Amino acid sequence: MNGFDDRLLTRNGLAARQLAALLLNHEPDTRLPRVRDFAEELGVGNGTVQAALALLEESRAIETTARGHLGTFLVRSDRGILWRLSGLGTLLAAMPLPHSRRYEGLATGLRTAFEAAGAPFAITFMRGAAARTAALAEGKVHLAVLSRFAADRVIAEQPVELIADLGPSTYVGGHGLVLRHGVAIGSPGLRVAVNAASQEQPMLARRAFAGRDDIRWIEASPLRLRELFDRGKADATVWNLDEVEGRLGEGVEVQPLGDEAARELSLRHSSAAIIGRTEGARALAAVRGALDLSLITDVQGQVLRGERVPAY
């Protein structure tokens, strides 16, 4: 361990690490808080803050300049060095399995945007919104990606908050009513496939077939859906069109959702939402101000159009 690393283990060094995390949210050419304000926030003395700032300047993480009565300004910062010194580690997000080009684009956009904000970033893929939400609540991940519909339900029940709503068609391209060829929507005893692992899909299906007491609900995972239709064991469903296209064969037809409420639910499900814990996520707090949400959707669009190779 060199002399500089040794100093990071001292009281001044600990303050430098804490300051590094705070300074990730400060842009160049902006006035820094006063030394006594930093000292109060960190619970240390003014001299410790001054020594910590000197350590950060020595490491070339920041460059500051004093402008008399105007205060001290941040001239330059290296977000990569600040992040490393802060000890915040890698930000981890939980996403759905990348089984569609849309999800591949979303994963690529997230990684691009977080790395542009100076944060080491990684993704873990989990099937089911409930599993991703549980991982967030247990502190195993910093972020979870859900539909806006699912996110609203989680936010109402748990201490999490909405970080971003990326807008329509960022989570899925939409939903449609899927019917096996030769089956009419009004056929009695219709067997409708639902995915119990999803928070939204069963509700969409029940909304689309509201008012009917003759429906038989058939459990179906995305992997088994085609088999059920091919074998004549399911007659209909409401499903994510990204998963339907080219995957259910020629034995089905897709119709638009006809109910206003079902269409509204489908729209909320098509928007990708990013949620995080309300408290305790220092790594997320350190990067939120620098995160460019438009970069996520721009990169996703490039992947969807075939202009960019997915990389996540």
XYZ file of all heavy atoms in Angstrom, residues 91-94 114 132-133 135-139 141-146 151 154-155 158-165 273-285 288:
313
model
N -23.032 -0.149 -8.964
C -24.489 -0.074 -8.928
C -25.066 -1.296 -9.629
O -24.660 -1.629 -10.744
C -24.969 1.196 -9.641
C -25.157 2.440 -8.779
C -25.333 3.655 -9.680
C -26.346 2.297 -7.856
N -26.019 -1.940 -8.998
C -26.611 -3.158 -9.549
C -28.106 -2.957 -9.764
O -28.819 -2.522 -8.858
C -26.369 -4.336 -8.601
C -26.842 -5.715 -9.069
C -26.125 -6.121 -10.358
C -26.610 -6.750 -7.984
N -28.557 -3.265 -10.975
C -29.978 -3.138 -11.315
C -30.549 -4.501 -11.653
O -29.890 -5.328 -12.287
C -30.160 -2.189 -12.506
N -31.784 -4.750 -11.222
C -32.499 -5.989 -11.557
C -33.456 -5.712 -12.700
O -34.285 -4.801 -12.622
C -33.259 -6.508 -10.343
N -25.592 5.085 -17.143
C -24.950 5.073 -15.832
C -23.440 5.211 -15.955
O -22.804 5.901 -15.152
C -25.321 3.805 -15.063
C -26.613 3.931 -14.308
C -27.803 3.487 -14.862
C -26.650 4.523 -13.056
C -29.006 3.617 -14.179
C -27.836 4.665 -12.357
C -29.021 4.214 -12.919
N -37.833 -9.188 -8.563
C -36.999 -7.985 -8.646
C -37.293 -7.042 -7.487
O -36.385 -6.433 -6.907
C -37.210 -7.294 -9.993
C -36.790 -8.160 -11.173
C -36.726 -7.388 -12.466
N -38.017 -6.917 -12.935
C -38.887 -7.644 -13.629
N -38.611 -8.910 -13.910
N -40.029 -7.122 -14.040
N -38.566 -6.915 -7.129
C -38.948 -6.054 -6.008
C -38.383 -6.592 -4.698
O -37.908 -5.828 -3.849
C -40.481 -5.957 -5.916
O -40.998 -5.435 -7.151
C -40.897 -5.046 -4.788
N -35.678 -8.396 -4.309
C -34.232 -8.159 -4.299
C -33.921 -6.718 -3.916
O -32.953 -6.448 -3.193
C -33.646 -8.487 -5.672
N -34.740 -5.780 -4.374
C -34.553 -4.370 -4.018
C -34.814 -4.162 -2.536
O -34.028 -3.503 -1.836
C -35.496 -3.506 -4.857
C -35.435 -1.996 -4.612
C -34.074 -1.436 -5.012
C -36.546 -1.283 -5.376
N -35.925 -4.698 -2.030
C -36.288 -4.523 -0.619
C -35.237 -5.120 0.308
O -34.990 -4.591 1.395
C -37.650 -5.152 -0.354
N -34.606 -6.221 -0.119
C -33.601 -6.895 0.709
C -32.211 -6.283 0.564
O -31.258 -6.756 1.199
C -33.561 -8.382 0.341
C -34.846 -9.133 0.696
C -34.940 -10.490 0.017
O -33.935 -10.908 -0.616
O -36.008 -11.123 0.103
N -32.080 -5.247 -0.261
C -30.797 -4.589 -0.429
C -29.822 -5.337 -1.306
O -28.624 -5.031 -1.325
N -29.988 -5.390 -4.608
C -29.774 -4.552 -5.780
C -30.096 -3.107 -5.398
O -30.806 -2.852 -4.415
C -30.648 -4.992 -6.984
C -30.304 -6.409 -7.422
C -32.129 -4.873 -6.658
N -29.566 -2.172 -6.174
C -29.843 -0.752 -5.943
C -31.094 -0.284 -6.673
O -31.756 0.670 -6.243
C -28.657 0.101 -6.412
C -27.370 -0.191 -5.701
N -26.436 -1.078 -6.195
C -26.869 0.286 -4.539
C -25.403 -1.134 -5.369
N -25.642 -0.320 -4.360
N -31.390 -0.932 -7.807
C -32.489 -0.504 -8.660
C -33.260 -1.720 -9.150
O -32.702 -2.811 -9.278
C -31.961 0.252 -9.892
C -31.173 1.529 -9.664
C -30.456 1.922 -10.952
C -32.097 2.641 -9.214
N -34.535 -1.504 -9.452
C -35.327 -2.541 -10.096
C -36.085 -1.916 -11.252
O -36.581 -0.785 -11.155
C -36.315 -3.177 -9.108
N -36.153 -2.642 -12.364
C -36.869 -2.187 -13.555
C -38.173 -2.967 -13.656
O -38.161 -4.199 -13.715
C -36.019 -2.383 -14.823
C -36.788 -1.913 -16.057
C -34.700 -1.617 -14.706
N -39.282 -2.238 -13.659
C -40.614 -2.818 -13.739
C -41.423 -2.036 -14.762
O -40.969 -1.015 -15.274
C -41.341 -2.724 -12.382
C -40.607 -3.130 -11.108
C -41.448 -2.749 -9.901
C -40.354 -4.618 -11.100
N -44.792 -0.736 -10.870
C -44.062 0.169 -9.988
C -45.009 0.959 -9.094
O -44.741 1.147 -7.901
C -43.207 1.122 -10.820
N -46.054 -1.179 -6.208
C -44.976 -1.398 -5.236
C -44.746 -0.140 -4.404
O -44.571 -0.206 -3.171
C -43.682 -1.812 -5.958
C -42.517 -1.892 -4.972
C -43.865 -3.145 -6.660
N -44.748 1.019 -5.056
C -44.507 2.290 -4.357
C -45.577 2.534 -3.296
O -45.303 3.089 -2.223
C -44.457 3.443 -5.376
C -43.180 3.335 -6.219
C -44.510 4.802 -4.679
C -43.171 4.237 -7.434
N -44.498 -0.228 -0.345
C -43.161 -0.403 0.215
C -42.391 0.910 0.205
O -42.736 1.834 -0.544
C -42.395 -1.467 -0.581
C -43.053 -2.842 -0.578
C -42.167 -3.890 -1.206
O -40.942 -3.819 -1.142
N -42.780 -4.893 -1.829
N -41.318 1.019 1.023
C -40.524 2.251 1.073
C -39.569 2.365 -0.111
O -38.343 2.321 0.026
C -39.773 2.118 2.401
C -39.617 0.642 2.598
C -40.877 0.038 2.044
N -40.134 2.467 -1.294
C -39.348 2.663 -2.513
C -39.894 3.887 -3.238
O -41.010 4.338 -2.962
C -39.398 1.424 -3.442
C -38.836 0.204 -2.736
C -40.819 1.152 -3.902
N -39.121 4.415 -4.150
C -39.551 5.607 -4.879
C -39.265 5.452 -6.364
O -38.417 4.650 -6.775
C -38.846 6.851 -4.338
C -37.331 6.819 -4.467
C -36.688 8.069 -3.910
O -37.139 9.171 -4.285
O -35.737 7.945 -3.108
N -39.994 6.240 -7.135
C -39.817 6.235 -8.577
C -38.577 7.056 -8.938
O -38.492 8.234 -8.596
C -41.057 6.827 -9.252
C -41.054 6.841 -10.778
C -41.162 5.427 -11.335
C -42.206 7.708 -11.309
N -37.636 6.427 -9.604
C -36.440 7.132 -10.077
C -36.699 7.715 -11.461
O -36.310 8.832 -11.757
C -35.230 6.188 -10.134
C -35.011 5.501 -8.777
C -33.979 6.928 -10.588
C -34.782 6.453 -7.636
N -37.390 6.956 -12.304
C -37.657 7.435 -13.669
C -38.807 6.662 -14.291
O -38.977 5.471 -14.039
C -36.407 7.291 -14.535
N -39.590 7.354 -15.090
C -40.575 6.743 -15.990
C -40.074 7.050 -17.389
O -40.019 8.218 -17.791
C -41.963 7.340 -15.749
C -43.033 6.735 -16.652
O -42.687 6.236 -17.744
O -44.218 6.769 -16.279
N -40.351 1.626 -15.812
C -40.125 2.444 -14.625
C -38.911 1.901 -13.879
O -38.707 0.687 -13.789
C -41.354 2.429 -13.719
N -38.110 2.808 -13.348
C -36.954 2.450 -12.534
C -37.258 2.886 -11.112
O -37.580 4.056 -10.875
C -35.675 3.134 -13.034
C -35.448 2.848 -14.520
C -34.469 2.682 -12.227
C -34.338 3.689 -15.132
N -37.185 1.956 -10.162
C -37.439 2.296 -8.770
C -36.215 1.991 -7.926
O -35.379 1.152 -8.276
C -38.670 1.552 -8.202
C -38.476 0.026 -8.257
C -39.935 1.950 -8.953
C -39.586 -0.753 -7.564
N -36.099 2.699 -6.794
C -35.006 2.481 -5.861
C -35.511 2.629 -4.447
O -36.584 3.191 -4.210
N -34.730 2.157 -3.485
C -35.126 2.301 -2.088
C -35.133 3.766 -1.689
O -34.295 4.552 -2.120
C -34.172 1.519 -1.169
C -34.250 0.015 -1.355
C -33.487 -0.721 -0.253
N -32.104 -0.309 -0.139
C -31.136 -0.740 -0.950
N -31.417 -1.557 -1.947
N -29.903 -0.341 -0.777
N -36.081 4.135 -0.847
C -36.219 5.526 -0.431
C -35.037 5.980 0.410
O -34.591 7.124 0.323
C -37.520 5.712 0.363
O -38.620 5.276 -0.451
C -37.730 7.172 0.755
N -34.494 5.086 1.230
C -33.382 5.443 2.102
C -32.262 4.422 1.971
O -32.492 3.266 1.630
C -33.838 5.500 3.564
C -34.876 6.589 3.839
C -35.283 6.609 5.289
O -34.817 5.737 6.051
O -36.085 7.476 5.659
N -31.054 4.893 2.258
C -29.941 3.971 2.394
C -29.162 3.654 1.137
O -28.182 2.938 1.187
N -29.590 4.164 -0.019
C -28.887 3.846 -1.263
C -27.910 4.976 -1.604
O -28.183 5.826 -2.448
C -29.878 3.617 -2.390
N -26.768 5.007 -0.931
C -25.811 6.092 -1.128
C -25.290 6.127 -2.560
O -25.089 7.194 -3.131
C -24.622 5.937 -0.170
C -24.935 6.225 1.284
C -23.702 6.032 2.163
N -22.627 6.926 1.774
C -21.410 6.525 1.434
N -21.115 5.232 1.389
N -20.470 7.395 1.099
N -25.055 4.949 -3.134
C -24.522 4.904 -4.498
C -25.504 5.531 -5.480
O -25.110 6.272 -6.384
C -24.214 3.465 -4.890
N -26.781 5.254 -5.305
C -27.784 5.823 -6.191
C -27.894 7.328 -6.001
O -27.974 8.086 -6.962
C -29.143 5.161 -5.935
C -30.304 5.651 -6.788
C -29.998 5.477 -8.264
C -31.573 4.909 -6.418
N -27.873 7.784 -4.753
C -27.954 9.214 -4.477
C -26.791 9.961 -5.118
O -26.938 11.098 -5.588
C -27.974 9.461 -2.967
N -27.643 10.214 -9.155
C -28.934 10.628 -9.704
C -28.875 11.956 -10.444
O -29.464 12.111 -11.509
C -29.992 10.707 -8.600
C -30.506 9.371 -8.169
C -31.588 9.484 -7.125
N -32.831 10.013 -7.656
C -33.975 10.004 -6.992
N -34.020 9.501 -5.773
N -35.061 10.478 -7.527
